RNA sequence: GGUCCCAUCGUCUAGCGGUCUAGGAUACCGGCCUCUCACGCCGGAGACACGGGUUCGAUUCCCGUUGGGACUGCCA
């Protein structure tokens, strides 16, 4: 097995969107496969007909694509592979490793209760185990599991794990409705697809001995197991919808960059010394199961936000421009001039934590009319500034070249003459031009807005202030 | 309840017996820079759950306690 090509998989069940935890499992499998030049398979586990949906499948595929986690094979759908599971089931039946069980769910429920009442384990009591029953309308097929001894495996992240077989019971392999159960389908798929490494959430640790028993009953070699700790919500319970934004697509829609999400996910549970930032290539190069931690972690949304801000700061302006445009359009802006968007992006890169924030912060560049933030209006657009503003308007009217450099000169000369601080005039002007008290640098704003727009907005502010007197 | 897993700053984590008066990141608090907001820089506060061993020496190894999580389905 050691010299065999590595094969990993991501097997979501399409019962909902892809959440952070699932995405991390997918990422680890993907990284491990890429690192070892192996194969990464996508498999949709839709044996639960009632809960599976096509929308969920599509959302999962879209999430993986957005993250850039490409698969080499699949997506396979378990619902289309029943003949294979059936074939393996027959093998087990033929070899006496599995048997038909005629107990009804109600009977089982009853006996489970009784066992609990007596303080015994609520497991299947093995009633039909040696009855030699055949198929029947509501029969299920169970694995004839070993009842003594131990089932052990060496987990690649947790180390040796062992279970007493007395703890386990004869699990159902085939349901009375004619469908395979999860355990059978998983094991048969993993065998037939040639899986070498099973990297999954540690909520599966307890399932592992059952699955190992199926491998053994089938006489198949075991894969390596690596159980990654769960991701918890802030209340330390398993991450779920209750914890707010947990879906990958939600982060996309909030204006996160896929690299930032990937980076954050990788660092949740895995580490490489003190390094915090990794490019995809670096992740592939440096990822290893040995450095995956054993303890569960809480998803740190603040840190992701900061990482996102860093990636935005460092991203190529052209790329940011293309990705921010949908966020501007979402705000009703049409026919955007890409060159102008790029210039706006250039000024907002270092002050935006998300693309959504960037879009919000750049609205004033594109709107015909801006509105003043109430507080900013009250604080800076006061009558006492009228004089200075009129004077600077005059100078700007006379300024031919509206470049940052020349504008800066105009202002420096102006404050020198007037013996005032730049802030004195800069803040009121900022509000006049952007509507806000915080914005990119005044001169870059003016350059991008252009002379015409700048003059227009200053004049508008002047009438606005005049009305207050 | 039973089984299994886990336990370093609020959070993510480094640490694989002495290098630890425990390092980084984030968030928080000061300061500097400055036309605002950011960025950047400097500084601050903040953790080895507890109790036994093993050892010359434990954050690191073993056991127990406590705490947390997962599983306990004809769901995956």
């Amino acid at each position: 097995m050691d010299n065999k090509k590595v094969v990993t998989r991501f097997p979501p069940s399409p019962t909902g969107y892809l959440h952070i935890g699932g995405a991390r499992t997918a990422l680890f499998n993907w990284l491990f496969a890429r690192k070892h030049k192996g194969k990464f398979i996508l498999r949709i586990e839709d044996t639960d007909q009632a809960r599976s949906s096509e929308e969920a499948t599509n959302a999962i595929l879209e999430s993986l694509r957005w993250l850039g986690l490409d698969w080499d094979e699949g997506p396979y759908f378990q619902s289309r592979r029943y003949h294979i599971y059936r074939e393996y089931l027959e093998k087990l039946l033929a070899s006496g490793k599995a048997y038909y069980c005629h107990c009804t769910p109600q009977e089982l429920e009853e006996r489970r209760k009784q066992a609990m009442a007596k303080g015994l384990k609520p497991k299947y009591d093995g009633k039909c185990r040696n009855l030699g029953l055949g198929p029947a309308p509501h029969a299920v097929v169970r694995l004839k599991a070993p009842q003594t001894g131990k089932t052990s495996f060496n987990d690649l992240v947790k180390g040796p794990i062992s279970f007493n077989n007395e703890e386990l019971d004869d699990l159902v392999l085939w349901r009375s409705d004619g469908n395979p159960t999860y355990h059978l389908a998983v094991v048969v798929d993993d065998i037939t697809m040639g899986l070498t490494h099973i990297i999954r959430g540690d909520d599966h640790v307890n399932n592992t001995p059952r699955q190992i028993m199926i491998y053994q009953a089938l006489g198949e070699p075991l894969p390596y197991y690596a159980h990654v700790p769960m991701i918890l919500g802030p209340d330390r319970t398993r991450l779920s919808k209750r914890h707010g934004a947990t879906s990958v697509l939600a982060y996309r829609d909030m204006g996160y960059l896929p690299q930032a999400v990937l980076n954050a996910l990788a660092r949740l549970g895995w580490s490489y010394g003190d390094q915090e930032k990794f490019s995809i290539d670096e992740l592939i190069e440096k990822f290893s199961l040995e450095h995956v931690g054993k303890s569960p972690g809480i998803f740190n949304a603040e840190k992701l936000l900061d990482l996102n801000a860093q990636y935005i700061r460092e991203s190529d302006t052209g790329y940011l421009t293309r990705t921010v445009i949908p966020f501007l359009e979402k705000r009703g802006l049409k026919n955007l001039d890409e060159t102008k968007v790029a210039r706006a992006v250039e000024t907002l890169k270092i002050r935006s934590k998300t693309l959504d924030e960037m879009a919000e912060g750049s609205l004033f560049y594109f709107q015909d009319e801006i509105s003043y933030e109430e507080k900013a209006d009250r604080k800076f657009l006061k009558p006492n500034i009228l004089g200075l503003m009129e004077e600077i308007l005059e100078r700007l009217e006379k300024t031919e070249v509206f470049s940052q450099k020349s504008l800066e000169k105009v202002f420096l000369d102006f404050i020198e003459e007037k013996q005032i601080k730049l802030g004195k005039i800069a803040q009121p002007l900022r509000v006049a031009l952007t509507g806000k008290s915080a914005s990119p640098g005044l001169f870059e704003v003016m350059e991008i807005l252009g002379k015409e727009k700048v003059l227009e907005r200053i004049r508008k502010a002047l009438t606005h202030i005049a009305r207050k007197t």
Side-chain angles (χ1 to χ4, degrees):
Chain A
M1 177 166 311
D2 292 296
N3 39 28
K4 238 167 59 181
K5 187 172 160 182
V6 163
V7 181
T8 65
R9 44 149 243 201
F10 178 56
S13 63
T15 53
Y17 53 75
L18 179 65
H19 59 88
I20 293 298
R24 190 191 58 166
T25 302
L27 173 64
F28 283 9
N29 276 286
W30 183 84
L31 286 175
F32 192 77
R34 291 288 169 267
K35 164 155 187 140
H36 295 283
K37 310 235 180 298
K39 194 159 66 174
F40 175 62
I41 297 175
L42 179 61
R43 181 170 81 217
I44 306 297
E45 307 212 326
D46 57 349
T47 53
D48 185 346
Q49 310 276 17
R51 297 199 308 149
S52 299
S53 76
E54 206 184 317
E55 299 93 274
T57 302
N58 291 335
I60 290 167
L61 298 187
E62 197 181 341
S63 301
L64 291 173
R65 285 195 197 101
W66 180 68
L67 288 171
L69 302 182
D70 54 335
W71 50 93
D72 306 301
E73 262 182 39
Y76 291 111
F77 289 84
Q78 290 190 324
S79 57
R80 303 216 266 266
R81 294 167 55 85
Y82 282 13
H83 58 287
I84 303 173
Y85 310 134
R86 187 76 218 180
E87 196 182 300
Y88 277 79
L89 181 80
E90 295 298 344
K91 269 193 221 174
L92 289 169
L93 247 9
S95 63
K97 297 285 173 57
Y99 61 92
Y100 283 96
C101 168
H102 291 1
C103 299
T104 65
Q106 298 87 288
E107 287 169 4
L108 293 173
E109 182 57 28
E110 187 57 32
R111 277 186 262 152
R112 248 196 294 272
K113 266 192 212 152
Q114 282 175 12
M116 293 270 258
K118 281 190 236 165
L120 299 171
K121 298 176 201 314
K123 58 179 204 178
Y124 179 64
D125 59 6
K127 186 180 176 198
C128 303
R129 186 175 166 104
N130 296 307
L131 262 34
L133 297 168
H138 298 291
V140 299
V141 177
R142 288 182 185 272
L143 179 74
K144 194 177 268 184
Q147 296 175 306
T148 57
K150 286 171 184 287
T151 297
S152 313
F153 60 100
N154 186 31
D155 195 278
L156 262 24
V157 349
K158 304 217 181 230
I161 299 178
S162 181
F163 294 81
N164 279 116
N165 290 155
E166 294 95 88
E167 301 297 334
L168 283 358
D169 60 4
D170 290 350
L171 72 158
V172 173
L173 298 173
W174 204 266
R175 296 182 202 141
S176 57
D177 66 359
N179 293 319
T181 60
Y182 160 71
H183 290 294
L184 209 227
V186 163
V187 171
V188 170
D189 279 341
D190 288 345
I191 290 170
T192 55
M193 294 177 187
L195 269 287
T196 58
H197 296 258
I198 310 296
I199 303 169
R200 71 215 314 193
D202 73 2
D203 48 333
H204 285 288
V205 170
N206 290 289
N207 288 329
T208 306
R210 299 172 195 285
Q211 292 171 12
I212 287 178
M213 285 175 175
I214 301 177
Y215 275 95
Q216 289 169 338
L218 250 14
E220 296 284 346
L222 297 178
Y224 288 109
Y225 287 99
H227 288 98
V228 180
M230 307 250 75
I231 296 176
L232 274 25
D235 62 353
R236 297 202 158 277
T237 63
R238 190 180 173 152
L239 196 66
S240 72
K241 312 94 222 153
R242 289 182 291 113
H243 299 110
T246 57
S247 102
V248 168
L249 260 21
Y251 282 96
R252 178 196 62 184
D253 297 342
M254 287 187 291
Y256 284 78
L257 263 26
Q259 306 100 283
V261 174
L262 244 21
N263 197 146
L265 250 24
R267 281 288 287 108
L268 216 197
W270 173 79
S271 61
Y272 189 81
D274 281 341
Q275 189 171 343
E276 296 285 348
K277 281 188 71 198
F278 300 84
S279 66
I280 306 297
D281 287 343
E282 236 175 335
L283 243 23
I284 292 171
E285 181 200 327
K286 294 175 171 169
F287 183 77
S288 74
L289 258 15
E290 294 84 76
H291 284 101
V292 172
K294 296 182 187 185
S295 50
I298 295 171
F299 178 61
N300 192 340
E302 288 171 338
K303 207 161 169 172
L304 168 59
L305 186 62
D306 176 72
L307 258 183
N308 200 52
Q310 291 190 45
Y311 276 103
I312 286 179
R313 247 175 265 149
E314 294 161 15
S315 281
D316 169 71
T317 298
Y319 165 73
L320 287 177
T321 302
R322 286 190 297 280
T323 39
V324 81
I325 283 177
F327 290 88
L328 288 165
E329 289 172 340
K330 205 172 72 189
R331 287 175 165 72
L333 264 25
K334 297 270 179 282
N335 307 317
L336 289 158
D337 170 3
E338 253 193 63
T339 314
K340 189 173 174 188
V341 175
R343 297 176 77 193
V345 165
E346 197 65 53
T347 69
L348 285 154
K349 268 163 102 163
I350 60 165
R351 48 201 114 217
S352 306
K353 289 180 189 290
T354 66
L355 293 172
D356 199 61
E357 216 180 281
M358 183 181 274
E360 184 63 35
S362 66
L363 284 181
F364 72 87
Y365 283 123
F366 306 103
Q367 290 166 323
D368 292 327
E369 294 276 317
I370 56 161
S371 54
Y372 304 123
E373 259 174 19
E374 218 248 276
K375 239 182 113 177
D377 179 12
R378 212 176 336 114
K379 186 165 179 196
F380 296 112
L381 298 185
K382 291 193 291 200
N384 66 0
I385 203 70
L386 270 176
L388 280 175
M389 229 193 228
E390 275 163 358
E391 286 189 61
I392 198 72
L393 173 64
E394 263 178 56
R395 306 236 178 162
L396 290 172
E397 280 168 341
K398 279 184 259 171
T399 303
E400 293 303 324
V401 188
F402 247 61
S403 70
Q404 276 192 61
K405 220 179 161 104
S406 49
L407 286 164
E408 190 170 356
K409 173 125 189 355
V410 171
F411 276 77
L412 291 183
D413 290 348
F414 183 68
I415 63 168
E416 166 76 37
E417 269 174 51
K418 298 288 172 188
Q419 282 298 297
I420 54 169
K421 284 195 175 172
L422 183 54
K424 171 94 175 156
I425 183 71
Q427 278 307 85
L429 261 182
R430 186 185 314 282
V431 179
L433 297 175
T434 70
K436 293 177 287 195
S437 55
S439 81
L442 200 57
F443 309 128
E444 42 188 350
V445 164
M446 290 196 285
E447 178 184 313
I448 294 170
L449 242 24
K451 183 170 179 178
E452 192 186 337
K453 204 99 195 161
V454 168
L455 298 182
E456 178 194 317
R457 286 190 183 171
I458 294 176
R459 289 189 191 112
K460 194 189 138 203
L462 286 170
T463 28
H464 173 75
I465 298 171
R467 251 185 260 128
K468 294 182 178 179
T469 54

